[in-house]
Amino acid sequence: MAERSTAAVDVADNGGDEPLSAKADEATNDGTAQAEDTEGASPETPENPQGHDGGRARSEAVPATPDVHSGHKLADRYRLEECVTRLDGFSSWRAVDEKLRRAVGVHLLPANHPRARSVLAAARSSALLGDPRFVQVLDAVEEDDLVYVVHEWLPDATELTALLAAGPMDAHDAYQLVSQLSHAMAAAHREGLTHLRLTPGAVLRSSTGQYRIRGLAVNAALRGITSERPLRQDTEAIGALLYAALTKRWPYESDAYGLSGLPKGMGLIAPDQVRAGVHRGLSELAMRALANDGATASRQEPPCTTPDELAKAVAAMPRVLPPEPTFAAQPVYQQPVYQRTTYQQGTYGRPSTHPSSVPQPVLAAPPAPLQSRTGRVLKWSVSALLIAALGLGSWQLAEILLDQRKGSGDTGVTQPTDDEKPAPAPPKPLAIADATEFMPDGSGIQPGDVPNAIDDDSSTAWITHRYRGFPNFGNLPQRRQGSGIIVDLGKVQDVRSIDVDMYRSGQTTAVFAAGPDASSPSSSADFPQQIVEKKVAEKTLTEELEKPVRTRYVLIHITELPADGTGGFRGGINDISVLG
């Protein structure tokens, strides 16, 4: 087995940290609330060339942690409540934003701290990303000889460390984990941002099942962590998390994050060799993300060296479906046993097999039917009278009904009332065969991310670039007609409703349909039927049509983008549903 890279060793050596203070609300801190045992820090060795923190300079003079306490206010707004970390000259707090009345997290360090400038720069860069898959940086300020970074606090989220402590994940949960993390980090890397400390403590799962990453760029800046291969290091970190999710083991020899490491001297073992029943495809994916120098998965597929490559490898896999729901076994129905009654045991039924001292009464035989000529005449006379009475009654009833119709002017044709008309069936989702980016000027924005908008997963999205100056895609010549996504239903169908989950609210959007005979439409002229008028859409764009539209191709056309709070404009689409 080939040796692991320095980046992989760094991920391993950064494990096992424990907080110095109480662990209250552990799932909601920012992932840096893990204090290190500095007395037991590993010195530089050939196996650990960067020391315990993967490149942090240990000779730097670290000022004392700011002397603040619970109740202290920053900017007359953020009231510190509880210290969750005090380490290396900085501290992390749970706080309250008194202006917006919500819980927030705060990192605090002196302005003369050697890493203060890099922390501010990392926080401001992370805030510009604006991706909901990351815990958002809300403020980054230098004030009164202090530097502090304010970030979201998620009280309903569960830290991945706690999820792993409960046992290995099933295949579907592990698939969602690696899919969401790889797509999120690929988006961050495209904006020039890295994490470098992507541990189980840095990943949260919300109550809706969405994974969110905290501490993007900031965690590494607080600890002075750098890397010569940041893309590779983040990719290996995702592979380590997938490995732990499949096996409940940390994929290195050292124990970390409450997980046991691998046996010493055995090297990197595939997850399906560590634990029985592991999904084969996910096991190979973890090895492709972790292994180096040719030691890839059993089928010798190429290693994944960037989150984008890992995300594409996940997309190429057959989708792992959730397990079937289990139901409690129903009790077997048993035929009740009834005691035979005297009626069943008597002379009318079969003879009783039990002797009885009580004499049974003898039933008299029924009288014989009338078999004489007089009896037959009487029977036919009664039948004839009954038939005559029925005929007379029917004739009188028919006359009454005819008189009523004539009086009301009825023509004899019964028309169904509105109440009798059957209600139309509710719209059902139509299968989407394919989707492409709308490129009216011939050049695309993010055509490779279009499948994210039709995968029934709101945590993935097709997202535009950030444009500055003008909301109409920067007023660039090749972007003035906007962009969007063209959905292919595979065949001409009746479209009755549209449901679009937008990346963010405020996007000016319209929806069009191509003609029934259209083939591969690509320009605005190919979509003559407007089914949703142009308007500023909310987070969800839902429209039920008055009349069904026959079409195969539907265009969601975005012409203007909302401001992202950084002086730029950005938009996109999370998910598209077409109903018919």
Side-chain angles (χ1 to χ4, degrees):
M1 183 67 68
E3 294 182 358
R4 286 169 285 165
S5 71
T6 303
V9 174
D10 178 56
V11 173
D13 289 343
N14 276 302
D17 300 334
E18 294 295 336
L20 290 176
S21 59
K23 296 184 179 180
D25 295 327
E26 185 176 11
T28 61
N29 63 45
D30 66 343
T32 63
Q34 305 290 330
E36 298 174 352
D37 184 0
T38 54
E39 295 180 359
S42 303
E44 285 197 1
T45 64
E47 293 78 20
N48 188 17
Q50 294 179 337
H52 188 70
D53 270 332
R56 183 175 66 197
R58 294 187 174 277
S59 60
E60 61 187 10
V62 178
T65 305
D67 185 17
V68 293
H69 51 81
S70 297
H72 182 87
K73 283 189 182 181
L74 301 172
D76 291 329
R77 175 175 180 177
Y78 304 111
R79 186 180 73 250
L80 304 182
E81 291 285 322
E82 179 186 7
C83 182
V84 294
T85 302
R86 195 179 297 274
L87 172 71
D88 279 355
F90 73 87
S91 58
S92 298
W93 294 76
R94 177 175 59 83
V96 174
D97 182 351
E98 294 186 336
K99 184 176 181 180
L100 298 180
R101 296 184 180 182
R102 62 179 178 179
V104 294
V106 176
H107 299 308
L108 189 65
L109 68 164
N112 61 346
H113 194 289
R115 295 194 289 273
R117 303 273 77 75
S118 60
V119 169
L120 276 176
R124 289 166 180 171
S125 298
S126 178
L128 292 176
L129 182 61
D131 193 317
R133 293 171 290 191
F134 294 90
V135 174
Q136 299 296 300
V137 172
L138 305 175
D139 209 350
V141 180
E142 179 178 0
E143 181 182 71
D144 297 334
D145 297 327
L146 290 177
V147 167
Y148 58 89
V149 176
V150 183
H151 59 85
E152 284 184 294
W153 190 275
L154 308 177
D156 63 336
T158 304
E159 191 175 289
L160 183 59
T161 306
L163 298 175
L164 297 179
M169 294 182 176
D170 61 45
H172 177 259
D173 287 342
Y175 173 82
Q176 290 296 323
L177 172 71
V178 67
S179 176
Q180 294 185 32
L181 295 188
S182 59
H183 280 93
M185 288 309 304
H189 286 177
R190 286 193 291 268
E191 299 296 330
L193 296 171
T194 58
H195 198 290
L196 304 184
R197 193 171 170 79
L198 194 56
T199 65
V203 178
L204 303 174
R205 186 170 72 179
S206 68
S207 57
T208 61
Q210 180 181 0
Y211 289 94
R212 298 188 66 179
I213 301 172
R214 59 188 175 188
L216 179 67
V218 176
N219 282 9
L222 283 168
R223 295 172 180 271
I225 298 174
T226 59
S227 175
E228 295 180 356
R229 300 190 300 167
L231 302 186
R232 180 62 180 176
Q233 182 165 332
D234 282 345
T235 307
E236 290 189 37
I238 299 174
L241 297 179
L242 174 60
Y243 194 105
L246 295 172
T247 64
K248 198 188 173 183
R249 298 287 293 265
W250 195 237
Y252 306 100
E253 293 182 355
S254 59
D255 299 345
Y257 311 108
L259 304 173
S260 301
L262 298 178
K264 297 185 182 297
M266 294 190 65
L268 190 59
I269 311 170
D272 56 1
Q273 297 177 10
V274 175
R275 173 176 166 265
V278 172
H279 189 279
R280 178 68 180 276
L282 293 175
S283 175
E284 293 181 351
L285 200 65
M287 293 295 288
R288 292 176 64 186
L290 280 170
N292 296 294
D293 303 326
T296 59
S298 58
R299 293 192 300 185
Q300 296 300 311
E301 294 181 352
C304 299
T305 58
T306 66
D308 188 56
E309 292 179 359
L310 183 58
K312 291 178 180 177
V314 174
M317 286 179 53
R319 178 171 294 187
V320 181
L321 301 177
E324 293 292 334
T326 57
F327 301 95
Q330 296 293 333
V332 179
Y333 177 76
Q334 295 181 349
Q335 180 70 27
V337 179
Y338 299 100
Q339 183 179 2
R340 291 185 178 273
T341 63
T342 304
Y343 176 81
Q344 293 170 310
Q345 296 175 349
T347 57
Y348 191 82
R350 59 185 180 181
S352 173
T353 57
H354 303 283
S356 175
S357 59
V358 180
Q360 299 293 329
V362 178
L363 300 178
L370 297 174
Q371 299 295 335
S372 64
R373 184 169 179 268
T374 304
R376 288 196 297 272
V377 172
L378 180 60
K379 180 176 65 176
W380 284 109
S381 300
V382 172
S383 299
L385 289 173
L386 289 174
I387 293 172
L390 289 173
L392 181 61
S394 300
W395 176 71
Q396 290 177 343
L397 180 61
E399 278 194 341
I400 293 172
L401 292 176
L402 287 174
D403 291 342
Q404 290 178 348
R405 288 187 179 181
K406 290 178 180 178
S408 60
D410 193 353
T411 60
V413 180
T414 303
Q415 298 292 335
T417 63
D418 292 339
D419 294 337
E420 295 174 348
K421 293 181 180 179
K428 295 182 179 179
L430 302 177
I432 296 178
D434 194 13
T436 56
E437 186 173 292
F438 179 53
M439 299 180 286
D441 294 293
S443 61
I445 297 177
Q446 294 284 12
D449 291 343
V450 170
N452 294 341
I454 59 170
D455 60 358
D456 295 327
D457 185 356
S458 59
S459 65
T460 61
W462 170 80
I463 306 171
T464 71
H465 299 307
R466 179 180 290 108
Y467 297 91
R468 297 190 179 277
F470 300 91
N472 61 336
F473 293 79
N475 202 30
L476 300 175
Q478 71 275 20
R479 295 281 178 259
R480 289 174 183 170
Q481 296 186 48
S483 185
I485 292 179
I486 300 173
V487 172
D488 181 3
L489 302 178
K491 61 182 180 180
V492 177
Q493 303 191 59
D494 286 335
V495 174
R496 298 173 55 191
S497 179
I498 298 291
D499 188 0
V500 184
D501 182 9
M502 310 298 290
Y503 175 67
R504 56 161 51 104
S505 60
Q507 303 181 70
T508 302
T509 310
V511 182
F512 299 88
D517 56 347
S519 177
S520 301
S522 59
S523 65
S524 300
D526 296 331
F527 294 89
Q529 306 179 81
Q530 185 175 39
I531 57 180
V532 178
E533 294 183 356
K534 183 177 180 180
K535 62 181 178 180
V536 178
E538 301 293 335
K539 182 65 171 60
T540 301
L541 175 62
T542 302
E543 190 80 17
E544 187 166 350
L545 310 183
E546 294 182 359
K547 295 182 180 179
V549 174
R550 294 283 292 173
T551 186
R552 174 178 173 177
Y553 300 95
V554 177
L555 166 63
I556 293 85
H557 188 192
I558 302 174
T559 54
E560 292 188 2
L561 306 174
D564 62 357
T566 65
F569 300 90
R570 194 171 197 174
I573 297 174
N574 289 342
D575 204 56
I576 300 172
S577 294
V578 181
L579 298 87

